[in-house]
Amino acid sequence: MSTAELVQIDGLAPITKEDRKKSKIMLLFPPEWVPTAPYLALPSLTAVLREAGHTVIQRDINIGMWDHFFSMEFLIWVKARLGMQLKGLQENEKAGALTEREMNQLAVVEPAYELDVFDLADRAEDAKQIVRGDRFYNAELLEGALNTFRETMAYISSAYYPASLVFYPMESNLGYRPGVSKEVFACLGDEQVNVYRDLCNQLVLPEVSKEQPDVIGISIGTQMQLLAGLTFAKLIKESFPGIHVVVGGNIITRLQEDLVHHERFFTEVFDSAILYEGEHALLWLIEALNGQRLLASVPNLIYRDAAGLHRNPEVYTEKTQSLPLPDFDGMPLDRYFVPELIIPYLATRGCYWGRCTFCDHGQGYFDQYRGMPAQLVVDQIKSLRDKYQCRHFLFSDESYPPALFKKVSQLLVDQDVGIKWTTLIRFEETLQDQAMWDLAAKAGCCTLYYGMESANERVLNLMDKHAKKSVIQRNLQMAAKSGIWNHVMAFYGFPGETFEEA
Ligand code: SF4
């Protein structure tokens, strides 16, 4: 079935809260993602499931991992792992049986084992306190903390040779390509490089054993989370075969063709996969697992039964205005690596522009752009501000629409909401009024991230970006004048771009 054969539906007939059988669901957000704020997927799913009366335990294993990596407990464990590896390598060396790879590994493991792990762990623990407290604002101390994180990751990497595990940017490399299914399956079983196996044993399986959920949902939004997410799924299935494991998220949606051609994923790694937006699809899947619907009726779902794999042709896209407020209760809001809590918020689904030829963001959505009225956006922000005592927001929209940008800024000022915020935005002809930029700054806009991509208009037109250089310059100048920090993203090598244009 190609995506062209999918049909959009308006939803399934609801089951009343009283009639609905209740389940216990555990939601997991796997690494690797940034350690600075919770990701919105779990709170969005949690809100819909809790509203329906289910018990939800949400676990951000990503921040759990960073916290664990930079802890005395884990680093001493790494030292013990290094010690075991060193012993085996030295025995082989004595026997004259070292392979070239083992010789290289020995050269990494030996000095790492000599390192004073107590000193490193003390510094790593203190680095966490630095990024979580007022010392964050001292540039020298912050740089020192980040360097300690990098040094610690190099130490951890040595115990997973030849894997390269890094702090920032998220470019850890286990030596397997996440886009090649054969390599993915090999990686899941590789005890030498796959650090996520140990993380699962240390952080995930004890939680599953304690909570005994009926269903576990793993949200895999980016390619960087794929190997960790699938490793968790596989090890959970092996230890708890009675728990239904479902995966979902943007990258799972993009990989749907690969999934349906590899039944092994559904026999060895997870039970089902949810494509596109998952809030109601997950709710209906749980109802189906409780015998209150047919699995074949659940939109966005790929599942397996005795007859084989099925991808249901119906797709449901969320009605953004009737979704409940994201529910962050149970997220470890004091553990992120920032001195002030930052809450992500989404006023739109999809990108209103949706035309840039290089961009694949739209593949994660079936229906393109949907937005919410500005007043509802501001009401929800105020609710989140008050509920979580939070003054910092990350508007994680793909690209903030200019009309909403203006209206939300106006309402934030009029209603004296008192927050600081940042978002991603496109260069726009309609944003060439200094008063509008001043209003955004007054509304708390601190930093804007722009996909500039290229400073050459011919290349921008090739990309279907259609931004004029004069508009780019004016947008940036006006934002800077109003006190907003500008961050532009660009790349070179677009097909058709000449050396001079780059
Ligand atoms: S504006 Fe950004 S999100 Fe939208 S299509 Fe272009 S690159 Fe993609």
Side-chain angles (χ1 to χ4, degrees), residues 326-378:
D327 187 343
F328 292 83
D329 290 358
M331 294 291 275
L333 298 180
D334 56 349
R335 286 170 73 193
Y336 293 92
F337 286 12
V338 278
E340 305 269 1
L341 172 64
I342 302 169
I343 286 208
Y345 178 79
L346 201 57
T348 61
R349 299 262 170 136
C351 170
Y352 75 94
W353 180 252
R355 283 168 50 182
C356 305
T357 50
F358 59 85
C359 176
D360 59 358
H361 284 191
Q363 288 181 19
Y365 296 97
F366 186 73
D367 198 11
Q368 272 298 325
Y369 173 73
R370 279 148 293 145
M372 296 206 295
Q375 187 56 60
L376 179 58
V377 172
V378 172

Side-chain angles (χ1 to χ4, degrees), residues 10-204:
D10 200 37
L12 300 183
I15 296 172
T16 63
K17 202 165 169 179
E18 299 69 49
D19 291 339
R20 183 180 290 119
K21 292 182 187 165
K22 305 298 186 295
S23 291
K24 189 175 193 183
I25 298 116
M26 179 176 273
L27 298 176
L28 303 177
F29 183 71
E32 282 182 18
W33 190 245
V34 294
T36 44
Y39 195 77
L40 198 50
L42 263 47
S44 301
L45 296 165
T46 296
V48 171
L49 298 179
R50 284 187 180 152
E51 189 181 58
H54 295 298
T55 301
V56 184
I57 301 139
Q58 45 180 347
R59 291 285 179 264
D60 182 348
I61 308 299
N62 177 58
I63 192 60
M65 174 191 81
W66 294 119
D67 211 8
H68 192 52
F69 273 177
F70 305 127
S71 70
M72 182 69 80
E73 181 194 355
F74 183 69
L75 293 175
I76 288 176
W77 184 88
V78 168
K79 171 110 179 167
R81 181 177 160 100
L82 283 167
M84 282 190 301
Q85 292 180 359
L86 187 59
K87 192 164 170 270
L89 290 166
Q90 285 172 336
E91 278 168 12
N92 283 358
E93 190 182 32
K94 260 191 221 150
L98 271 189
T99 63
E100 195 182 334
R101 185 182 189 273
E102 285 172 330
M103 260 190 263
N104 293 334
Q105 186 181 1
L106 184 60
V108 171
V109 168
E110 213 162 24
Y113 186 71
E114 293 304 314
L115 205 128
D116 181 349
V117 71
F118 295 104
D119 171 63
L120 180 64
D122 279 341
R123 287 188 290 118
E125 294 274 12
D126 188 49
K128 284 192 293 191
Q129 298 312 315
I130 289 173
V131 294
R132 286 173 178 153
D134 283 346
R135 287 184 291 163
F136 175 95
Y137 298 106
N138 178 320
E140 240 170 71
L141 290 178
L142 178 61
E143 198 184 341
L146 298 178
N147 285 337
T148 300
F149 291 147
R150 292 186 191 109
E151 185 185 341
T152 309
M153 293 308 291
Y155 179 72
I156 298 170
S157 292
S158 62
Y160 291 89
Y161 179 88
S164 162
L165 308 170
V166 294
F167 179 58
Y168 243 4
M170 294 168 300
E171 285 173 358
S172 290
N173 182 356
L174 304 190
Y176 293 98
R177 289 168 293 177
V180 181
S181 28
K182 219 163 107 185
E183 294 195 22
V184 169
F185 282 113
C187 181
L188 301 188
D190 189 332
E191 292 182 5
Q192 175 56 36
V193 301
N194 190 346
V195 63
Y196 306 122
R197 289 181 62 91
D198 291 324
L199 278 176
C200 189
N201 286 326
Q202 293 170 21
L203 300 185
V204 180

Side-chain angles (χ1 to χ4, degrees), residues 53 77 111 114 163 184 192 210 215 249 307 355 373 441 443 451 457 470 481 492 497:
W77 184 88
E114 293 304 314
V184 169
Q192 175 56 36
K210 186 175 121 210
V215 176
R355 283 168 50 182
E457 273 181 29
S470 57
K481 195 168 167 211
Y492 56 86
E497 184 179 44

Side-chain angles (χ1 to χ4, degrees), residues 204-223:
V204 180
L205 296 184
E207 281 279 306
V208 178
S209 173
K210 186 175 121 210
E211 300 290 351
Q212 296 288 329
D214 305 300
V215 176
I216 294 182
I218 305 180
S219 172
I220 306 178
T222 68
Q223 179 146 311

